[in-house]
Amino acid sequence: MEEKRYLIAVDMQNDFIDGSLGTPEAQAIVTAAAERIRACKAMGYSLIATLDTHGENYLDTSEGKKLPVRHCIRGTAGWALNPVIREALGDCMLVEKNTFGSVRLPEIIQEELKPDQQLTIELIGLCTDICVVSNALLLKAHFPEADVRVRPDCCAGVTPEKHQAALATLQSCQIGLA
């Protein structure tokens, strides 16, 4: 059976790495994430990167009221992909999303998927406990027979404890750890 494989780099943007919501843990995964992207590219994976994307009115949104930290405002330096990650990704599909999970990701994959293809989806990125887990769960719900997995060494949570909690949640929902 033919296989279609995707690597999804979730929100590897400057604001989540060393910007307004950056953490030492996020900074620490950049090299491993870039290496994984290059390896997957060499193995023929289709690459997709998501971009957390907000407007100038972010603080007036529901999310902005709960997380009152301006971040990933479209067009700002913080919204851009980390340069090391951007270089590794090369020319890939970019998917903007204005919330934690992208409902467009399953649609994009479904459009490219042939009826008899086996599907593998690997996710890396930030933050494990928010956007990575949200996208992984959306993809697993849409493609229940797919091999959906998250690579822990290429992800970081808001805190190390939240990262570990998210990994446990993912495993409970039959999402593998690569």
Side-chain angles (χ1 to χ4, degrees), residues 13-85:
Q13 294 158 272
N14 292 323
D15 272 347
F16 290 124
I17 296 172
D18 55 13
S20 60
L21 292 172
T23 65
E25 293 81 17
Q27 293 168 32
I29 69 159
V30 170
T31 300
E35 288 172 2
R36 185 62 186 160
I37 291 165
R38 285 188 205 79
C40 286
K41 189 188 300 187
M43 291 185 284
Y45 280 60
S46 294
L47 304 178
I48 299 175
T50 67
L51 294 168
D52 193 46
T53 303
H54 302 293
E56 289 294 332
N57 70 333
Y58 171 75
L59 294 175
D60 297 325
T61 67
S62 177
E63 179 184 326
K65 290 175 183 168
K66 293 178 179 89
L67 177 63
V69 178
R70 282 177 52 92
H71 66 281
C72 297
I73 306 300
R74 181 184 281 111
T76 65
W79 176 70
L81 287 168
N82 170 276
V84 173
I85 297 298

Side-chain angles (χ1 to χ4, degrees), residues 50 95-108 131 134-135 138-139:
T50 67
V95 177
E96 291 183 15
K97 58 184 193 52
N98 66 354
T99 189
F100 308 128
S102 171
V103 294
R104 285 194 53 226
L105 280 176
E107 294 170 0
I108 290 165
C131 294
S134 296
N135 283 291
L138 281 168
L139 289 162

Side-chain angles (χ1 to χ4, degrees), residues 142-169:
H142 197 84
F143 302 106
E145 297 303 316
D147 177 10
V148 179
R149 57 180 99 133
V150 170
R151 193 166 183 96
D153 65 325
C154 294
C155 293
V158 173
T159 67
E161 296 78 18
K162 297 268 188 179
H163 173 73
Q164 290 302 319
L167 296 177
T169 297

